[in-house]
Amino acid sequence: MKISRLLLACLIAATGSAAFAAKFNLKMGHAVNTTDGQHAAALKLAELVKQRTNGDVEITIFPSNQLGNDGAMINGVRGGTIDIVSSGASNYNGLVANTAAMELPFVFRNAQHAYHVLDGDIGTGVLNELAPHNMKGLAYWENGWRAFTNNKRPVNKPEDLKGLKIRSTPNPYHIQAFKLLGMNPSPMPIAELYTALESGAFDAQEHPINVTWSSKFYEVQKHLTVSNHVYSPIIVAMNKGKFDSLPANYQKIVVDAAREAAKYQRDLNAQNAGKVVADLKKSGMQVIENVDMAPFQKIVSAEIAKTFGEKNGTALLNAIEATK
């Protein structure tokens, strides 16, 4: 039986396509839009993994809550309907209590202190606590240093925060800190926050300045104080069953690539920080950059450490404090 040239060409093309198809296709979600550094880190992760596995592992990125809000995506990873998620550490607090320690107010002295803790044995130990929840913790990416914005007044001292209705993360220690500072906090997914600020349901919010920019909160907030009251890491986690199904050398590639993407994003954020502040000023926000945060820290730090210690013990916080 003769096969037409067209049919033969189609068969060859199909065979060739199958030969070069990825063996593992992974789906990854995050909550922010494509202008944010978190998305850049996700793209870098996908690029490195594809390159180092010779195309055997491909990661498709779904930004901007396309796969659901943070809680839904984390549940999707646990259930196996999503393979990888990157989400703020606060969104894991209900599963692993120690993730809350990674973003307690004023727990990190500076960025290098944060990186040494997160990338070292302490941070790895907390990531490993995700395993019983069917997740493999891969790395810590960077949300950044959180800063207050509001629609009421400039914030230079703790008293300026009193009475503000502020959107909080689900982290119970963030909520406690804001109450200690006289605010009225309530958690809400970031996907709903712009509308809540626009409608006046909240007076204030606090995110890293890069998120305030990429989420366009400057359109619905007047005042920004670069308070740096919390360093906010992002936890990148993968479905444990899917991770375990990868060959051992590919598992190492995924973990190493996730950590390299973290460094890439941190460098990117550091390079862009000045520009973001300048752009926020150009947008019309009134920006206060140099604030003495010691009075804020005095109000919240001891009480937060006491509450965390009563619930979880003091060993983790002592280890973080002792890290150089």
Side-chain angles (χ1 to χ4, degrees), residues 168-224:
S168 172
T169 72
N171 187 315
Y173 307 101
H174 291 189
I175 294 171
Q176 181 186 8
F178 299 151
K179 287 181 177 178
L180 288 168
L181 290 166
M183 291 183 282
N184 300 312
S186 183
M188 171 181 281
I190 189 174
E192 303 170 24
L193 180 53
Y194 184 100
T195 301
L197 293 169
E198 185 177 37
S199 70
F202 287 106
D203 304 313
Q205 64 91 40
E206 46 86 56
H207 269 101
I209 56 172
N210 51 290
V211 177
T212 293
W213 175 255
S214 64
S215 297
K216 298 186 178 182
F217 295 145
Y218 56 85
E219 295 179 347
V220 288
Q221 295 277 269
K222 296 176 183 176
H223 304 282
L224 165 67

Side-chain angles (χ1 to χ4, degrees), residues 41 66 93 105 129 137 196 209 244 256 285 310 321 324:
Q66 290 181 32
N93 294 169
E129 292 184 47
I209 56 172
D244 291 342
D256 289 348
M285 289 197 87
E310 288 172 349
E321 176 63 26
K324 303 299 183 183

Side-chain angles (χ1 to χ4, degrees), residues 54-77:
N54 295 314
D56 279 354
V57 181
E58 288 195 8
I59 301 173
T60 302
I61 314 299
F62 294 86
S64 306
N65 295 289
Q66 290 181 32
L67 302 181
N69 63 29
D70 287 287
M73 286 188 285
I74 289 170
N75 286 334
V77 169

Side-chain angles (χ1 to χ4, degrees), residues 16-317:
S17 297
F20 291 101
K23 295 179 181 177
F24 300 93
N25 291 286
L26 307 179
K27 184 166 61 174
M28 177 180 183
H30 64 71
V32 296
N33 66 41
T34 56
T35 64
D36 193 84
Q38 186 182 163
H39 185 67
L43 293 176
K44 176 59 71 172
L45 169 64
E47 173 193 335
L48 293 174
V49 167
K50 183 175 182 178
Q51 179 187 79
R52 294 173 184 178
T53 62
N54 295 314
D56 279 354
V57 181
E58 288 195 8
I59 301 173
T60 302
I61 314 299
F62 294 86
S64 306
N65 295 289
Q66 290 181 32
L67 302 181
N69 63 29
D70 287 287
M73 286 188 285
I74 289 170
N75 286 334
V77 169
R78 294 181 66 195
T81 58
I82 301 171
D83 300 305
I84 306 173
V85 63
S86 57
S87 183
S90 288
N91 296 308
Y92 297 85
N93 294 169
L95 299 174
V96 175
N98 280 334
T99 58
M102 301 294 102
E103 55 175 356
L104 292 182
F106 304 105
V107 73
F108 294 123
R109 297 184 290 273
N110 50 48
Q112 288 307 312
H113 181 215
Y115 301 158
H116 289 162
V117 170
L118 296 171
D119 298 341
D121 291 341
I122 296 172
T124 300
V126 173
L127 288 180
N128 290 341
E129 292 184 47
L130 291 168
H133 305 283
N134 201 30
M135 288 187 287
K136 167 66 179 177
L138 301 178
Y140 294 94
W141 290 356
E142 183 168 81
N143 221 356
W145 293 95
R146 305 183 81 88
F148 291 115
T149 73
N150 81 93
N151 259 334
K152 295 294 186 181
R153 52 188 170 267
V155 172
N156 289 283
K157 55 189 184 299
E159 291 77 11
D160 296 330
L161 293 171
K162 287 187 176 179
L164 293 178
K165 296 178 292 183
I166 186 168
R167 177 269 183 188
S168 172
T169 72
N171 187 315
Y173 307 101
H174 291 189
I175 294 171
Q176 181 186 8
F178 299 151
K179 287 181 177 178
L180 288 168
L181 290 166
M183 291 183 282
N184 300 312
S186 183
M188 171 181 281
I190 189 174
E192 303 170 24
L193 180 53
Y194 184 100
T195 301
L197 293 169
E198 185 177 37
S199 70
F202 287 106
D203 304 313
Q205 64 91 40
E206 46 86 56
H207 269 101
I209 56 172
N210 51 290
V211 177
T212 293
W213 175 255
S214 64
S215 297
K216 298 186 178 182
F217 295 145
Y218 56 85
E219 295 179 347
V220 288
Q221 295 277 269
K222 296 176 183 176
H223 304 282
L224 165 67
T225 296
V226 185
S227 49
N228 294 347
H229 54 280
V230 169
Y231 178 79
S232 182
I234 292 165
I235 292 177
V236 186
M238 184 171 176
N239 175 268
K240 190 174 184 303
K242 183 59 69 74
F243 180 83
D244 291 342
S245 74
L246 297 175
N249 59 324
Y250 287 1
Q251 292 178 9
K252 184 176 187 306
I253 286 171
V254 169
V255 173
D256 289 348
R259 291 197 163 209
E260 287 184 40
K263 185 178 186 309
Y264 170 81
Q265 187 208 10
R266 291 167 184 172
D267 290 344
L268 192 65
N269 286 345
Q271 292 167 16
N272 291 339
K275 181 179 183 303
V276 172
V277 170
D279 287 341
L280 289 169
K281 289 178 179 179
K282 289 178 184 176
S283 76
M285 289 197 87
Q286 297 180 31
V287 180
I288 299 173
E289 295 186 67
N290 299 305
V291 179
D292 180 10
M293 293 304 295
F296 297 79
Q297 185 172 0
K298 184 177 180 180
I299 291 170
V300 305
S301 287
E303 287 298 318
I304 295 295
K306 178 182 176 183
T307 303
F308 185 89
E310 288 172 349
K311 292 183 177 180
N312 307 288
T314 60
L316 180 58
L317 293 187

